[in-house]
Amino acid sequence: MPPPALRPTQHAAMTLRAGRKLRVKAEVDVTPAGLLSIGALVSAILLSSAAIVVAARTPRVGDDVS
């Protein structure tokens, strides 16, 4: 029997249609451990992008601010 973090999986399916000929299907199965991993990755991306914005807005030493 698998560990509790791997037992129940969440399933999602989607079909996207555009016009008459284009159809895209996507399906995913995710375990609770996978959801935690996805949440950690999204949090890390958002925090790192905030740090990049702060660094970009901070004037550098020697820059002439007029």
Side-chain angles (χ1 to χ4, degrees):
M1 185 169 239
L6 301 176
R7 275 189 212 143
T9 60
Q10 303 290 322
H11 179 80
M14 177 186 102
T15 302
L16 176 67
R17 295 183 69 184
R20 293 183 180 194
K21 294 189 178 189
L22 180 64
R23 181 173 28 171
V24 178
K25 288 184 178 183
E27 289 189 45
V28 65
D29 290 313
V30 182
T31 63
L35 287 174
L36 288 174
S37 301
I38 292 167
L41 286 171
V42 170
S43 298
I45 290 168
L46 292 174
L47 288 172
S48 65
S49 64
I52 291 170
V53 169
V54 168
R57 298 183 92 196
T58 304
R60 289 176 268 180
V61 176
D63 280 353
D64 183 23
V65 181
S66 324

